[in-house]
Amino acid sequence: MEVPKKLVCSVTSCAEDALAGLVACNPGLQLLRGHRVALRSDLAALRGRVALLSGGGSGHEPAHAGYIGKGMLSGVVAGAIFTSPAVGSILAAIRAVTEAGAVGTLLIVKNYTGDRLNFGLALERARAEGADVRMVVVGDDCAFASQKKAGRRGLCGTVLVHKVAGAMAEAGASLDEIVTRVSALTKAMGTLGLSLSPCSVPGSKPTFQLANDEMELGLGIHGEAGVRRMKVMPVDEAVETMLAHMTDPSNASHLPLSPGASVVLVVNNLGGLSCLELSIVAGVAVRSLETRGVCIARALVGSFMTALEMAGISLTLLLVDEELLRLIDAETTAMAWPNVVTGPATSQRPEVAAPKEGTETAKQVPSTGPGMERAQKVLARVCSTLLGLQDKLNELDRAAGDGDCGHTHARAARAIQEWMRAQPLPPSPAHLFSALADLLLDKMGGSSGVLYGLFLTAAAHPLHNCSDLPVWADAVDAGIEAMQRYGGAAPGDRTMLDALCAAAQALHALRSPGADLLTVLASAVESAEAAAESTRHMEAGAGRASYISSAQLLQPDPGAVAAAAVLRAVLEGLQG
């Protein structure tokens, strides 16, 4: 197992470097010389108030330095990665806030042996110097079914303790009042983690191993073992499993949660989960709690207490009343606390009605006749052609894209087929083009869907009042001009425009008196196919392929091939 790559200056200094970078970018923070300690830059504001200090091992960013500021922490003592901070640095931080005029100091400590010992010893030494110092140990882990002598581990719920204690301190509460309130708070919350991957301390191999089809329930924020390994499951099942475990009365560390309860929900990214997945988890958690009859008074979603790059989440639930909510909502300048609109979370948020379609895009009364029959034959031929080319277009796209050009065009073909089965075609070429544009924009996807939508939308305009042969040439020119205006490509850039522009040149013959549609169109198809083949030798100037060396582009552009194939299908449909 290899040591994962990290963007660090050195393994030994990464905790110091991270803290220094945070302080360098935030005027509200300052470092304590000679120590890995960050403090509020306005220490004078602590005079007459209780100071709040927290900390622990680094690697859980933004915890805890991200929560320094008015209305939250006064300072933070950072250890090395996943290592408790030194007693001397903790003591130095206590002395700094005491000298600034704080009337007392509260140490907020996660329940880990090293943190309890080091912060505890610093507390005893500070008291011996005459400082008024108290300590609250936070244990919010709901993982273990049986009582552990060490107690519940301190997890993401610690951040809520920072917030409540900080709001009380800012309002002038005494040290005793703060200790009483947050001590009760720790008993009214629970947290549970779920991981899809391990993390790795810089310079070291991953802290544990998980098979590709496994996830771990109830692990700690340093990679400590959880309570169960499970097969990877859909997110709704995973979240339901987490909530069931957290609230199971047979679980000694469970959080009692009854219908009608009001909670603050924290959906925490353990470090390596994408924002997309995090939002999905949050939505599922809200719905799951609602089905239990629980009111989600507030929902906080983001990275609050991470475990380096671990791909996973933790869910924290805090039982709240109105007074506690006011403290959660109180203003803070701490950079990592989310600045969101206060209010309950719900999956039943009202939706704004979509604007009604304008007269131009309203559905038209369908018509029948030879023209519509011909249009049906042409579209049917286009669809069968694109479905038959799916594998070929995918293969052409693998060298320059993500290998889905065939899938994209096949998706369009199936959408058109389903649309034709469901309803008669619109009554005129202009309405047909507009309807096809809407369909492809909705169903096709990718840049191809937008480009075809642009072409058809623009081409429809010249056809509104007339569909004589010369106007068809105007329509093609209008469609190409729109594609170039918004897409940024031009002939010679190795895109579908190479085929379309070649065809457009040939279609200009439709403007000649006595022009024959099929003859001109046949010439246009030959020009398009030749142009598509010539893209084999072009340097890509636009699109995803432009980032790839031309030496690797040994085949024609798939978009140009598809466009030429569509034109041939149109010709064959008209001939048939």
Side-chain angles (χ1 to χ4, degrees):
M1 188 163 49
E2 296 182 355
V3 175
K5 294 176 283 188
K6 303 281 187 184
L7 286 173
V8 297
C9 299
S10 76
V11 169
T12 55
S13 70
C14 58
E16 289 88 345
D17 295 341
L19 193 61
L22 181 73
V23 172
C25 296
N26 291 276
L29 305 182
Q30 61 182 340
L31 291 172
L32 185 62
R33 185 180 297 117
H35 297 279
R36 202 186 289 121
V37 172
L39 298 166
R40 286 175 58 169
S41 58
D42 60 342
L43 282 180
L46 295 178
R47 182 168 298 279
R49 288 187 170 89
V50 172
L52 305 176
L53 297 176
S54 188
S58 297
H60 306 300
E61 290 71 26
H64 296 277
Y67 304 110
I68 299 174
K70 177 183 177 182
M72 287 193 80
L73 298 178
S74 311
V76 159
V77 191
I81 303 296
F82 292 173
T83 303
S84 299
V87 173
S89 291
I90 302 169
L91 184 59
I94 297 172
R95 289 169 177 160
V97 296
T98 302
E99 290 177 6
V103 295
T105 301
L106 176 62
L107 306 180
I108 301 172
V109 181
K110 299 189 298 299
N111 186 28
Y112 292 98
T113 302
D115 288 348
R116 290 199 316 271
L117 290 173
N118 289 13
F119 277 89
L121 178 52
L123 178 149
E124 295 299 331
R125 292 183 61 181
R127 281 181 175 173
E129 295 176 1
D132 186 7
V133 187
R134 301 278 296 277
M135 184 166 78
V136 169
V137 177
V138 182
D140 55 316
D141 187 10
C142 287
F144 297 103
S146 58
Q147 199 71 42
K148 299 290 181 180
K149 182 177 181 180
R152 302 201 296 174
R153 297 175 292 197
L155 302 175
C156 186
T158 309
V159 176
L160 296 177
V161 177
H162 297 337
K163 185 64 182 65
V164 171
M168 293 183 69
E170 192 63 37
S174 70
L175 184 55
D176 283 342
E177 288 173 328
I178 297 173
V179 169
T180 299
R181 168 53 67 92
V182 298
S183 295
L185 182 149
T186 61
K187 297 178 175 63
M189 70 178 175
T191 298
L192 189 68
L194 179 74
S195 179
L196 305 176
S197 78
C199 59
S200 57
V201 173
S204 302
K205 294 179 180 179
T207 51
F208 61 93
Q209 288 183 288
L210 271 176
N212 288 336
D213 63 344
E214 287 183 329
M215 52 174 54
E216 182 145 356
L217 181 72
L219 74 171
I221 53 174
H222 309 98
E224 308 98 323
V227 292
R228 192 194 322 169
R229 286 205 172 177
M230 311 177 296
K231 294 297 182 182
V232 171
M233 60 184 69
V235 66
D236 51 348
E237 295 178 24
V239 168
E240 187 60 35
T241 299
M242 294 177 73
L243 292 174
H245 187 88
M246 292 174 70
T247 59
D248 183 356
S250 68
N251 173 3
S253 59
H254 79 286
L255 175 70
L257 189 65
S258 304
S262 183
V263 301
V264 169
L265 164 69
V266 181
V267 183
N268 174 54
N269 188 346
L270 286 173
L273 204 68
S274 69
C275 291
L276 181 143
E277 294 165 279
L278 196 64
S279 292
I280 293 172
V281 171
V284 170
V286 167
R287 292 193 297 274
S288 295
L289 288 168
E290 285 178 333
T291 61
R292 288 171 161 79
V294 174
C295 170
I296 306 99
R298 301 289 184 270
L300 309 175
V301 183
S303 298
F304 297 95
M305 184 175 291
T306 63
L308 292 170
E309 80 279 29
M310 184 181 291
I313 55 159
S314 66
L315 299 179
T316 298
L317 296 176
L318 169 65
L319 297 170
V320 292
D321 54 22
E322 288 302 318
E323 184 180 354
L324 198 50
L325 266 186
R326 282 194 292 272
L327 296 172
I328 293 290
D329 291 341
E331 181 182 354
T332 178
T333 61
M335 53 169 281
W337 184 259
N339 181 24
V340 295
V341 177
T342 58
T346 175
S347 62
Q348 306 301 315
R349 200 80 68 196
E351 297 181 346
V352 177
K356 293 182 179 179
E357 293 182 344
T359 55
E360 284 298 311
T361 55
K363 291 184 178 179
Q364 304 293 323
V365 177
S367 65
T368 58
M372 289 305 101
E373 291 178 7
R374 193 158 50 244
Q376 288 175 330
K377 287 182 180 180
V378 167
L379 287 175
R381 190 57 174 252
V382 168
C383 292
S384 62
T385 296
L386 291 178
L387 290 171
L389 281 174
Q390 180 172 345
D391 291 340
K392 178 181 178 180
L393 293 177
N394 283 339
E395 183 62 33
L396 291 175
D397 193 34
R398 287 191 184 98
D402 49 10
D404 70 344
C405 184
H407 291 318
T408 302
H409 283 78
R411 189 160 53 243
R414 284 190 287 269
I416 293 172
Q417 288 176 331
E418 183 177 342
W419 177 64
M420 291 171 63
R421 286 193 295 268
Q423 59 194 10
L425 296 182
S428 70
H431 294 137
L432 175 60
F433 275 26
S434 294
L436 284 172
D438 289 343
L439 182 68
L440 296 184
L441 288 170
D442 184 41
K443 301 294 186 182
M444 187 174 185
S447 58
S448 296
V450 179
L451 288 169
Y452 280 119
L454 274 170
F455 178 89
L456 290 166
T457 299
H461 290 299
L463 294 169
H464 268 299
N465 299 315
C466 178
S467 58
D468 292 342
L469 288 187
V471 180
W472 282 96
D474 297 340
V476 173
D477 285 348
I480 289 174
E481 193 276 332
M483 293 173 72
Q484 289 184 273
R485 186 188 327 139
Y486 296 107
D493 282 342
R494 199 181 190 276
T495 70
M496 69 168 70
L497 274 173
D498 291 296
L500 290 176
C501 288
Q505 285 296 117
L507 289 173
H508 289 172
L510 292 174
R511 297 182 179 129
S512 301
D516 178 70
L517 173 61
L518 294 182
T519 302
V520 173
L521 184 54
S523 175
V525 170
E526 291 176 2
S527 298
E529 290 174 339
E533 177 60 26
S534 72
T535 60
R536 181 191 300 270
H537 310 293
M538 292 180 183
E539 181 83 24
R544 192 176 284 136
S546 63
Y547 300 103
I548 299 174
S549 167
S550 58
Q552 296 174 255
L553 302 173
L554 304 177
Q555 302 185 81
D557 176 70
V561 170
V566 168
L567 288 171
R568 177 160 290 282
V570 170
L571 174 62
E572 292 171 349
L574 290 172
Q575 290 172 331

